[in-house]
Amino acid sequence: MVTARIAGIGTALPPAYSQDALWEDVFRWHFSRSRVAQRIFTASAVRSRHTATDPAEFKAVADWTTAERMARYSEVAPPLGLEAVRKALAAAGTDPEEIGLLTVATCTGYRTPGLDVELARMLPLPPDARRLLIGHTGCHAALPALAAAADYVAAHDRPAVLLCLELTSLHLQPASIDPEQMVSHALFADAAAALVLRPGAAPGLRVVDIASRTDTARRHQMTWDITDLGFRMGLSPEVPDALAEHVGPLVKELLGRHGHDVRDVAAWAVHPGGPRILDAIDEGLELEPDALATSRNVLAEHGNCSSPTVLLVLQEILAAGPPAGPVVALAFGPGLTLYAALLEPDR
């Protein structure tokens, strides 16, 4: 049976700015020197973030129409995505001509022909390459996208590329006293991350299984609404408690199907949605104190970049050397939805 393996990961990051500077130069005034906002920024556990939008533009961006934001996305996203994909292909020793499927996950910008078509032209991909665009799925999009790409590789014995790209800075909202907006503006950032899946005996982590769990009764707790002034994030403070409730059953069922339990996991690639979310995953899985150290470091250095973030965590894990056992990737998003992926090295 053909299996899909992660053969290479590549990232592209816009300029970084310190959280302190962003607060002092931009958000302190955006939120009218609110002490609540200042406490939220201080408690975010973010030290620096990447933004493709110059912070000097933030005041203007907050008043841009959705059309203006989409026009900027169409300018910035293709070269950033191309950089990430080319790095992933180089890491995997793969030529664009080999690629049979390009999957693009993004929820921060749209047009047709879209980012997938632009990348197919710029790489270039072969004319028979399939394209799959996964839009408006949110922070967990990398894992259902990985599932689709892995299924293609296994079925067609041909490499695939997955790109996750988000420009959350284009959706800065007008000034508000809403704490949910303060939280989202304290956490979110821009990034692109790509991976190459190769079939068969290629080196890299094997995609073993992917599972999901959705609590539709809590669908209102995380939202991403299209407005005339860009996309507006809704993030309830109840989300961490919901994740703590569901993550244990999800992960234990996934691992149990393959003869593993939580103690067998060598590394955790957990989407760092925020410090309280990582604390909730710790609690729900009863992990060792340093089990999520990589996720916490990615949050500190990059912020929450939405869908690419779990791939940034996975890249850091792999950069430290081949894992000694199974790796579990976790990501969360609207729905309220949890996704888990079981990845294994060769034994």
Side-chain angles (χ1 to χ4, degrees):
M1 177 180 176
V2 176
T3 58
R5 297 172 185 269
I6 298 172
I9 298 178
T11 62
L13 301 171
Y17 299 85
S18 77
Q19 182 81 322
D20 289 344
L22 289 173
W23 168 255
E24 290 294 336
D25 297 343
V26 179
F27 291 106
R28 178 186 184 91
W29 313 109
H30 186 75
F31 291 115
S32 302
R33 294 184 289 185
S34 164
R35 292 183 180 180
V36 173
Q38 185 172 15
R39 286 197 297 270
I40 288 171
F41 270 69
T42 300
S44 68
V46 176
R47 290 195 298 266
S48 64
R49 288 187 278 165
H50 302 268
T51 171
T53 305
D54 190 321
E57 283 191 287
F58 279 4
K59 184 176 180 180
V61 170
D63 293 324
W64 281 3
T65 65
T66 300
E68 289 173 311
R69 300 172 198 242
M70 295 301 95
R72 177 63 66 87
Y73 179 96
S74 296
E75 295 172 10
V76 175
L80 195 68
L82 181 65
E83 180 184 350
V85 170
R86 283 180 169 165
K87 287 180 178 178
L89 289 168
T94 301
D95 189 272
E97 281 293 321
E98 300 179 62
I99 299 302
L101 172 69
L102 168 64
T103 299
V104 175
T106 185
C107 69
T108 49
Y110 305 106
R111 64 167 292 178
T112 301
L115 178 57
D116 56 327
V117 175
E118 282 300 296
L119 290 172
R121 177 185 67 83
M122 296 164 77
L123 282 164
L125 293 181
D128 69 336
R130 300 185 187 182
R131 293 172 289 101
L132 174 63
L133 179 64
I134 298 177
H136 228 78
T137 300
C139 292
H140 68 288
L143 297 189
L146 176 64
D151 285 348
Y152 172 87
V153 171
H156 297 276
D157 196 18
R158 189 172 174 184
V161 170
L162 163 61
L163 170 68
C164 295
L165 185 151
E166 306 293 4
L167 301 179
T168 67
S169 64
L170 293 180
H171 298 286
L172 183 69
Q173 292 294 290
S176 167
I177 60 171
D178 181 357
E180 291 188 19
Q181 292 305 302
M182 295 174 182
V183 170
S184 63
H185 284 53
L187 289 172
F188 280 91
D190 299 347
L195 60 78
V196 174
L197 293 168
R198 292 194 61 91
L205 289 174
R206 180 166 49 95
V207 181
V208 177
D209 198 359
I210 294 177
S212 67
R213 190 178 179 95
T214 301
D215 185 346
T216 56
R218 288 169 160 141
R219 64 193 181 279
H220 62 282
Q221 292 185 1
M222 195 181 299
T223 57
W224 188 228
D225 293 321
I226 299 175
T227 78
D228 293 337
L229 297 173
F231 305 163
R232 181 182 175 91
M233 182 74 185
L235 190 62
S236 167
E238 299 173 5
V239 167
D241 291 338
L243 297 181
E245 175 185 330
H246 287 298
V247 71
L250 170 69
V251 170
K252 290 170 186 176
E253 180 181 345
L254 172 64
L255 291 172
R257 290 203 295 258
H258 301 277
H260 297 303
D261 62 32
V262 171
R263 293 170 297 179
D264 297 328
V265 177
W268 297 89
V270 178
H271 169 69
R276 288 189 60 219
I277 286 178
L278 291 176
D279 291 344
I281 302 308
D282 261 332
E283 175 190 339
L285 294 172
E286 299 179 333
L287 298 177
E288 295 296 322
D290 62 346
L292 302 185
T294 305
S295 292
R296 294 185 190 278
N297 184 62
V298 167
L299 178 64
E301 296 302 320
H302 304 293
N304 180 346
C305 309
S306 190
S307 63
T309 323
V310 70
L311 301 185
L312 298 179
V313 178
L314 185 59
Q315 184 184 48
E316 282 208 12
I317 288 171
L318 295 177
V327 175
V328 171
L330 289 164
F332 326 103
L336 186 73
T337 304
L338 300 83
Y339 260 82
L342 175 60
L343 314 170
E344 290 191 355
D346 286 324
R347 296 182 180 179

